[in-house]
Amino acid sequence: QVQLEESGGGLVQPGGSLRLSCASSSITFRFYTMGWYRQAPGKQREMVATITGSGSANYADSVKGRFTISIDNAKNTMYLQMNSLNSDDTAVYYCRGSRRGFEYWGQGTQVTVSS
């Protein structure tokens, strides 16, 4: 069974920063398209950022310039550096890996932006 495990969520004040991590011992990230998605209460899950095995990144317009996705292949860990957070960023954040029609999701980590 493929497992992806997120960490790094929490409560942060507006304007603050957090770094999320996603690790797995089941799949090798450099062979997958990896991504971060989020789901806010009452809303559909949405793409935040994705990154291919070659390092090509794509971001939702709402996070461009504030969030950075990256992968440390030596640690097989994906990160999402989130800066200038605001209340609209409050959501459960999920990591996802996809390859050849298969997709795998983590359980999610809560990010709450509030004063």
Side-chain angles (χ1 to χ4, degrees):
Q1 183 176 357
V2 174
Q3 290 185 317
L4 302 177
E5 186 172 351
E6 304 97 338
S7 62
L11 174 64
V12 63
Q13 292 187 340
S17 298
L18 278 177
R19 189 178 77 159
L20 305 182
S21 301
C22 173
S24 177
S25 59
S26 306
I27 62 173
T28 302
F29 287 178
R30 67 177 181 270
F31 298 135
Y32 285 72
T33 294
M34 300 300 299
W36 288 98
Y37 293 72
R38 67 186 180 186
Q39 188 166 19
K43 295 186 177 180
Q44 290 187 330
R45 191 173 298 188
E46 63 176 359
M47 186 275 290
V48 176
T50 61
I51 186 167
T52 67
S54 61
S56 178
N58 183 48
Y59 296 91
D61 287 344
S62 59
V63 306
K64 281 181 181 177
R66 301 189 297 123
F67 291 10
T68 302
I69 189 171
S70 62
I71 293 179
D72 183 332
N73 288 320
K75 296 181 178 180
N76 202 43
T77 300
M78 177 175 65
Y79 301 99
L80 185 68
Q81 177 65 44
M82 306 186 293
N83 299 326
S84 302
L85 287 160
N86 59 61
S87 58
D88 290 337
D89 298 315
T90 294
V92 178
Y93 284 70
Y94 300 89
C95 68
R96 173 182 181 261
S98 63
R99 180 174 182 244
R100 296 182 179 177
F102 291 90
E103 63 175 11
Y104 306 101
W105 292 88
Q107 294 298 308
T109 185
Q110 177 71 47
V111 172
T112 302
V113 184
S114 175
S115 56

